[in-house]
Amino acid sequence: MQRLADRGLRLTQQRRCIVAQIGAQEAHFDAEDLVSSLAAGDDRVSRATVYRLLPVLVEVGVLREVMRFGSRREFEPVEASEHHEHLVCERCGAVIEFRDQALEDAIESAARKRGFEMHRHSVEMVGLCPRCARAQARAEEDRS
Amino acid sequence: MQRLADRGLRLTQQRRCIVAQIGAQEAHFDAEDLVSSLAAGDDRVSRATVYRLLPVLVEVGVLREVMRFGSRREFEPVEASEHHEHLVCERCGAVIEFRDQALEDAIESAARKRGFEMHRHSVEMVGLCPRCARAQARAEEDRS
DNA sequence: TCCTAGCTGAGACTGTGTCTCAAATCTAGC
DNA sequence: GCTAGATTTGAGACACAGTCTCAGCTAGGA
């Protein structure tokens, strides 16, 4: 909230509602999640307002835009967690968050090596989570 | 083309046109690029057909789906080049392709360490390309 | 040649996100 | 506390990428 004020942005009722709702949200969420959970509550905030505020919160450093699964833009609170990467299971849709210092280092070094001033990055790994990999292996065994 | 036949898929005129057009395409392209370049030529292939074939070509191993810039799904031919990552410049929009073995290794090891069976991955690095980073630095110098 | 599963085209439809503009509201200055 | 005016809002139209439907067509095996 304070960060909005610092930037000369107004602290409207709607913005308070949105920020409060973000606090109540799961780790990842997208604009439509917010719109519907605000609608479910007593807060009346229009879709346009939510869509307008999200990029502002990213710029102000409250949110971080994470990968896009499908076509929706996903967000997560910056302070809630350290930066992390995501494993996406093709079979069950699970999203596994993880942090890997060696990977971070490799990314930063790759950028530096090429004179690139990196502001953010994301790694998307798609495949089978441990559970589905096992299930798949069993299914193939049975077939043979 | 052969790969389609191997899978029991038909080699229709439209599919030949699409595959030929992909060959004539720049490194990256998306469905709309293809649709419009097909329309510009003498080939008449509908949008639906193009959108239908692209995921098939990915599955068959002819194309690879790369990162999504904005909201469009981008593709690139698999054989044209080795797997590579992308640096995206926020300022000029340039996309720099690069390959970094250390980074690949770090990604694979991160997946393996977590029992994840990785099928594909992509790294998106956003920031300033060397040229824009220099321009930015100069601009800030001038201002002070 | 014939048959039919698979493919196509046209356009309606869906979902996500943006834009517009009149009306409402926040905040600085008095 | 009041006022002015700059910002923000809401509702809905719009834009765009991508999907779906279904009647008609066709590749390719028998």
Side-chain angles (χ1 to χ4, degrees):
Chain A
M1 256 355 305
Q2 198 48 48
R3 308 223 195 157
L4 290 174
D6 293 349
R7 289 284 193 110
L9 297 166
R10 292 190 180 167
L11 304 182
T12 64
Q13 197 51 46
Q14 290 86 341
R15 289 179 172 176
R16 287 174 214 274
C17 289
I18 293 171
V19 171
Q21 191 56 245
I22 286 173
Q25 217 64 28
E26 295 293 313
H28 292 150
F29 62 91
D30 59 43
E32 293 298 326
D33 289 343
L34 268 188
V35 170
S36 51
S37 47
L38 284 165
D42 293 340
D43 312 317
R44 302 198 155 276
V45 183
S46 83
R47 214 162 71 94
T49 302
V50 172
Y51 273 95
R52 262 187 300 239
L53 188 61
L54 288 175
V56 172
L57 292 176
V58 169
E59 193 173 333
V60 155
V62 172
L63 293 180
R64 178 190 298 131
E65 189 174 344
V66 293
M67 272 181 315
R68 290 163 195 189
F69 304 121
S71 54
R72 288 187 172 189
R73 279 201 214 156
E74 301 228 335
F75 299 87
E76 69 185 9
V78 166
E79 58 194 39
S81 64
E82 281 186 302
H83 177 71
H84 53 254
E85 311 304 349
H86 301 91
L87 299 166
V88 187
C89 180
E90 290 184 307
R91 205 152 171 271
C92 67
V95 178
I96 301 168
E97 296 182 354
F98 72 96
R99 187 170 160 68
D100 189 301
Q101 194 55 48
L103 177 52
E104 296 292 306
D105 293 345
I107 290 170
E108 294 208 355
S109 124
R112 218 175 17 248
K113 218 187 288 178
R114 289 164 183 85
F116 194 76
E117 183 185 317
M118 187 170 67
H119 293 163
R120 59 194 161 83
H121 68 264
S122 71
V123 178
E124 174 175 326
M125 294 158 76
V126 182
L128 296 178
C129 67
R131 170 181 240 160
C132 289
R134 279 195 300 276
Q136 182 100 333
R138 262 199 304 282
E140 272 168 25
E141 239 168 65
D142 290 352
R143 212 179 306 141
S144 63
Chain B
M1 258 350 307
Q2 198 47 50
R3 309 223 195 159
L4 290 174
D6 292 347
R7 290 283 193 112
L9 297 167
R10 292 192 180 165
L11 303 182
T12 63
Q13 197 51 48
Q14 291 85 343
R15 289 180 173 179
R16 286 174 213 276
C17 288
I18 293 170
V19 171
Q21 191 56 245
I22 285 173
Q25 217 64 29
E26 296 292 315
H28 291 151
F29 62 90
D30 58 44
E32 292 300 325
D33 290 344
L34 268 188
V35 170
S36 51
S37 47
L38 284 165
D42 291 341
D43 311 318
R44 300 195 158 279
V45 183
S46 82
R47 215 163 72 95
T49 300
V50 173
Y51 273 96
R52 264 188 297 240
L53 188 60
L54 288 174
V56 173
L57 292 176
V58 168
E59 193 172 334
V60 155
V62 172
L63 293 181
R64 179 188 296 132
E65 188 174 346
V66 293
M67 269 181 315
R68 290 162 195 191
F69 305 121
S71 54
R72 289 186 173 191
R73 278 201 215 158
E74 302 228 333
F75 299 87
E76 69 185 8
V78 165
E79 59 194 40
S81 63
E82 280 186 301
H83 177 73
H84 53 254
E85 311 303 348
H86 300 91
L87 300 166
V88 187
C89 180
E90 290 184 308
R91 205 151 171 270
C92 67
V95 178
I96 302 169
E97 295 182 355
F98 72 96
R99 188 173 159 67
D100 189 299
Q101 194 54 50
L103 177 51
E104 296 292 306
D105 293 346
I107 290 171
E108 294 209 354
S109 124
R112 219 175 16 250
K113 216 187 291 178
R114 287 164 186 84
F116 195 76
E117 182 185 320
M118 187 171 66
H119 293 163
R120 58 194 162 85
H121 68 263
S122 71
V123 178
E124 174 175 328
M125 294 159 76
V126 182
L128 296 178
C129 67
R131 172 180 238 160
C132 289
R134 280 197 298 277
Q136 182 100 333
R138 263 201 304 282
E140 272 167 26
E141 240 168 62
D142 291 353
R143 210 180 305 140
S144 63

